């Protein structure tokens, strides 16, 4: 059963900064005060699927994928599956011509079973298991990104005689970038990659070149997450090209590929900055061409890995209010989800926009803290946000920018099952992921 298309000609939400949308482009305010996304009224969607639930706007996903393809037509754009992965998402990014970045056997298995071409898959991971590597080779993934020197011989030993596996080496360029210490991965002292400054990256290159069953096609780096400035990427290009030049001088080889990772910031609240793909492409490709010309190197083919940038603004979370209460000077609005479906506030101090959906209100806003249902004082979904003063139990709340690193990181804490996900497009909604039930959770418990 499809939900009805929102009436045409309705005014859009108040305009967001052009480079930092919070809601999907299809979001519209209805006369009732409800919100529609993809032509689907959120209140009707919540009634159909229950709450908490998530929706993802298929057209927004596709438009965001195309934005990167348009900005970098000569590059490989790999959707970072760790942001969010499902069979539908895999199909959408495949149809839009993207590659796919996976970092586990589970993600790889789902991608291949969904029909994604294995040669367009890149396998990442700082601690790949033998099963990860063996399955990647058996399925024929296009690239394996080597993250440690020990992985080199382990991978080479698994490559069948007479075959060669294309690989890149993840290096640490010494660039500090990212919105939180837990997601800064471009500098030494964290678990990813091989540092340039200590010589580990150069040693890894020499080892791979000595393995006849491995074909080193280039270098890779990833600076972190939620990076809003382009300057760190420009710095990374300079350092990566300098390393490529040293490797040419040392080993007499040039590499055709350079991966610059992802980490592109999106807005979670009104007015926050976000990376513009066209601006990124202009700055990075100009810098890459200039530095390669200075060093006498051919310009390598770029690859980038937007994940959050594509999935994040395409998703919206819906919750029902269960309780409203004051404690001291604070007002708490408790909802039927929480850190089990969105651990980001607890992990990174992430902050979100929250809006009343399902009805209009003329009550003046008051500042509240939206909290989850779990037995943790840190189960806070949105701290100190404005909501109408008459918000009450049973109300529907909508949270934008929820398509990335929420369902992918969700867990059944307190044995609360993970919520469903519905795709919306052209006034229709269809279920992509069903709600996790008590029966599902019991089914894993096989002991007595």
């Amino acid at each position: 059963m499809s939900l009805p298309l929102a009436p045409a000609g309705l005014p859009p939400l108040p305009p967001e900064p052009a480079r930092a949308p919070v809601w999907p482009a299809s979001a519209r305010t209805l006369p009732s005060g409800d919100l529609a996304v993809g032509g689907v009224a959120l209140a009707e969607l919540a009634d159909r699927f229950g709450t908490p639930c998530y929706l993802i706007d298929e057209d927004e996903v596709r438009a965001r994928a195309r934005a990167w393809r348009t900005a970098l037509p000569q590059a490989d754009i790999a959707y970072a599956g760790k942001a969010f992965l499902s069979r539908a998402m895999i199909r959408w990014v495949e149809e839009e011509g993207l590659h796919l970045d996976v970092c586990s056997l589970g993600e790889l298995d789902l991608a291949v079973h969904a029909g994604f071409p294995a040669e367009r898959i890149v396998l990442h991971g700082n601690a790949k298991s033998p099963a990860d590597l063996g399955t990647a080779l058996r399925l024929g993934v296009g690239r394996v990104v080597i993250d440690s020197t020990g992985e080199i011989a382990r991978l080479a030993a698994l490559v069948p005689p007479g075959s060669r596996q294309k690989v890149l080496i993840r290096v640490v360029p010494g660039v500090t970038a990212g919105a939180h210490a837990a997601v800064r991965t471009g500098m030494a002292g964290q678990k990813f990659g091989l540092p340039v400054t200590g010589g580990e990256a150069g040693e890894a290159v020499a080892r791979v070149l000595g393995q006849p069953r491995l074909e080193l096609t280039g270098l890779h780096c990833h600076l972190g997450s939620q990076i809003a400035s382009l300057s760190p990427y420009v710095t990374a290009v300079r350092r990566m090209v300098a390393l490529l030049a040293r490797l040419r001088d040392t080993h007499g080889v040039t590499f055709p590929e350079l991966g610059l990772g992802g980490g592109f910031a999106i807005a979670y609240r009104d007015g926050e900055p976000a990376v513009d793909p066209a601006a990124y492409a202009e700055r990075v490709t100009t810098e890459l061409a200039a530095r390669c010309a200075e060093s006498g190197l051919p310009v390598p083919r770029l690859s980038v890995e937007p994940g959050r940038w594509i999935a994040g603004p395409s998703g919206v979370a819906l919750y029902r209010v269960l309780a409203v209460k004051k404690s001291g000077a604070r007002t708490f609005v408790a909802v039927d989800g929480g850190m089990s479906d969105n651990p980001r506030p607890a992990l990174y101090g992430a902050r979100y926009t929250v809006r009343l959906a399902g009805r209009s209100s003329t009550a003046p806003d008051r500042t509240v803290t939206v909290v989850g249902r779990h037995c943790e004082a840190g189960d806070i979904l949105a701290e100190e946000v404005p909501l109408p003063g008459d918000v009450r139990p049973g109300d529907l709340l909508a949270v934008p920018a929820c398509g990335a690193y929420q369902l992918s990181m969700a867990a059944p804490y307190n044995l609360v099952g993970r919520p469903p996900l519905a795709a919306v497009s052209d006034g229709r909604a269809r279920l992509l992921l069903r709600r996790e039930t008590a029966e599902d959770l019991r089914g894993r418990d096989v002991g007595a």
Side-chain angles (χ1 to χ4, degrees), residues 417-441:
R418 288 169 288 187
L421 172 73
V424 295
S425 178
D426 294 328
R428 298 177 181 272
R430 69 185 191 280
L431 191 65
L432 299 185
L433 299 174
R434 64 171 175 81
R435 187 179 302 281
E436 189 173 34
T437 66
E439 183 179 0
D440 293 327
L441 298 172

Side-chain angles (χ1 to χ4, degrees), residues 75-96:
D76 293 331
I77 312 300
Y79 172 70
K82 58 184 175 289
F84 169 71
L85 208 60
S86 71
R87 286 186 295 176
M89 177 65 89
I90 291 166
R91 179 172 62 83
W92 299 338
V93 298
E94 193 276 328
E95 289 176 353
E96 295 302 329

Side-chain angles (χ1 to χ4, degrees), residues 260-431:
L260 293 179
F264 311 116
I266 65 169
Y268 284 93
R269 295 183 296 169
D270 296 347
E272 289 184 341
V275 167
D276 173 50
Y280 172 92
E282 194 278 330
R283 286 284 302 278
V284 166
T285 58
T286 299
E287 187 69 26
L288 180 61
R291 297 296 172 174
C292 286
E294 288 178 3
S295 301
L297 288 169
V299 178
R301 182 177 179 86
L302 274 180
S303 63
V304 297
E305 297 163 356
R308 181 196 315 267
W309 200 95
I310 291 173
S314 304
V316 176
L318 301 178
Y319 302 99
R320 288 284 180 195
V321 175
L322 298 180
V324 179
K325 65 181 178 183
K326 294 196 69 173
S327 180
R330 303 179 76 185
T331 299
F332 292 98
V333 175
V335 298
D336 54 1
M339 65 190 303
S340 60
D341 66 85
N342 182 8
R344 294 188 66 253
L347 288 174
Y348 310 129
R351 303 191 67 182
Y352 286 83
T353 300
V354 181
R355 161 184 176 137
L356 177 68
R359 68 176 178 92
S360 61
S361 174
T362 58
D365 284 347
R366 61 174 167 173
T367 300
V368 304
T369 294
V370 180
V371 298
R373 60 175 294 176
H374 298 285
C375 298
E376 299 283 344
D379 184 19
I380 296 173
L381 285 173
E383 194 161 13
E384 303 297 300
V385 294
L387 281 176
D390 63 351
V391 66
R392 56 187 180 261
D395 275 341
L396 182 67
L397 301 183
V399 185
C402 286
Y405 298 106
Q406 291 187 208
L407 285 182
S408 65
M409 298 175 75
Y413 182 44
N414 293 152
L415 293 186
V416 174
R418 288 169 288 187
L421 172 73
V424 295
S425 178
D426 294 328
R428 298 177 181 272
R430 69 185 191 280
L431 191 65

Side-chain angles (χ1 to χ4, degrees), residues 58-72 77 92 95-98 277 309-310:
E58 176 183 345
D59 298 323
E60 184 79 12
V61 169
R62 291 180 180 275
R64 288 179 162 270
R66 288 176 200 144
W68 282 100
R69 287 290 309 279
T70 300
L72 288 166
I77 312 300
W92 299 338
E95 289 176 353
E96 295 302 329
L98 272 60
W309 200 95
I310 291 173

